Amino acid sequence: METIQRDLAENGLTTVPPFTEGWIGKSVLVVKSGAEEDDTTVETATERLLDEQTDAETVTEEPDDDETLVPEKPFTLRFGTLVRSDLAVTSVRPTDSIVLARTLMLRHNYSQLAVIDDDGTFHYAVSWESIAKAYMSPTPPSTVAHAKHTALLAGYDDLVLPRIDDISNSDFIFVRSRDGKTIAGIITSADLTNRFGEIAKPFTKIEECERRLHRRVKAQIPAATIEHATNKRHKNADSLTFGAYAHVLKDEQDFMLLGWPLDHEEFLQQVKDVAKIRNDMMHFSPDPVPHDEWDAIDGLLAMLHAVDPLP
């Protein structure tokens, strides 16, 4: 911290607000020393920070309160988060018979198995494809070593996205344990498809909720009402973020302008719950959305489908 302060001072710079205050993840603007004492500079800097981060807002009870601004984080899905810790890796040894490998793959409905020695050394894979190719050779295969399938490996903490093409081309990849000594699991193309579907689904549903809210609010609520309800942060419906709808619809009289036969308090709470979920999702956590959060999203979407049946 002292080093940063010294370097800023040597270059005639400072930050607004001071970087030594508040949460470590907050944003600041670098300005010339002395400019921070100018109220206009501070006001402009604050407005810029709010404008740049308004999509990550958290709903508050009063629209004129400062909102908690959550900076977006890059999507960091790692192989270790995809491996099922409760599922042991099914494997065979190089000296095991092809019959055993076939039997295990049929039993577990697998397309491939890891080939691992008794001491835990990983060698390669055996698959239906490699077995079929082995039987096309002049000498019929007898052991797994005769039906090798080159296998990709990934570290437990390696990023998934850079290896997407590799997995697509080879259909699977084995993941080493965190200490690198054993195989923690296998990730297939199907696993990736299912996982990315889990990740994309809540974003898609929340986007639909927002689209239906925006359509109705824009048609029924005057821009002046929106500007007042959001403390002049939003001048019309087109600039509203999801969390801002709770401010716009907080007053029951404004809610009634929508013409929706729904309980005001119940609907407003549902909007707040989904806004919080959306804000949390801006962290891009690879963890699946909990069941209670799915209930909140599905509940709001069901309400909106009932009162706004148009696509």
Side-chain angles (χ1 to χ4, degrees), residues 239-277:
S239 67
L240 289 174
T241 55
F242 200 102
Y245 286 101
H247 301 326
V248 174
L249 303 175
K250 181 179 180 180
D251 191 310
E252 187 170 8
Q253 290 184 341
D254 294 335
F255 171 76
M256 295 301 292
L257 294 175
L258 299 179
W260 285 345
L262 297 171
D263 181 81
H264 173 238
E265 290 186 7
E266 185 68 26
F267 181 81
L268 187 65
Q269 186 59 55
Q270 204 76 2
V271 171
K272 289 181 178 181
D273 290 345
V274 175
K276 182 181 183 303
I277 295 169

Side-chain angles (χ1 to χ4, degrees), residues 188-204:
T188 67
S189 296
D191 293 330
L192 284 183
T193 299
N194 292 336
R195 192 51 182 272
F196 282 119
E198 292 176 357
I199 293 170
K201 191 175 180 180
F203 282 100
T204 302

Side-chain angles (χ1 to χ4, degrees), residues 97-137:
S97 68
I98 294 287
V99 173
L100 175 61
R102 289 202 311 255
T103 303
L104 290 174
M105 285 192 287
L106 287 170
R107 174 189 173 188
H108 297 287
N109 194 29
Y110 291 161
S111 297
Q112 59 281 311
L113 298 173
V115 180
I116 302 174
D117 272 338
D118 289 331
D119 62 2
T121 301
F122 174 81
H123 291 280
Y124 38 80
V126 59
S127 67
W128 289 118
E129 178 184 353
S130 66
I131 291 173
K133 289 181 178 179
Y135 273 106
M136 294 178 67
S137 65

Side-chain angles (χ1 to χ4, degrees), residues 218-230:
K218 183 176 182 178
Q220 301 298 123
I221 298 183
T225 301
I226 293 173
E227 187 173 9
H228 175 74
T230 60

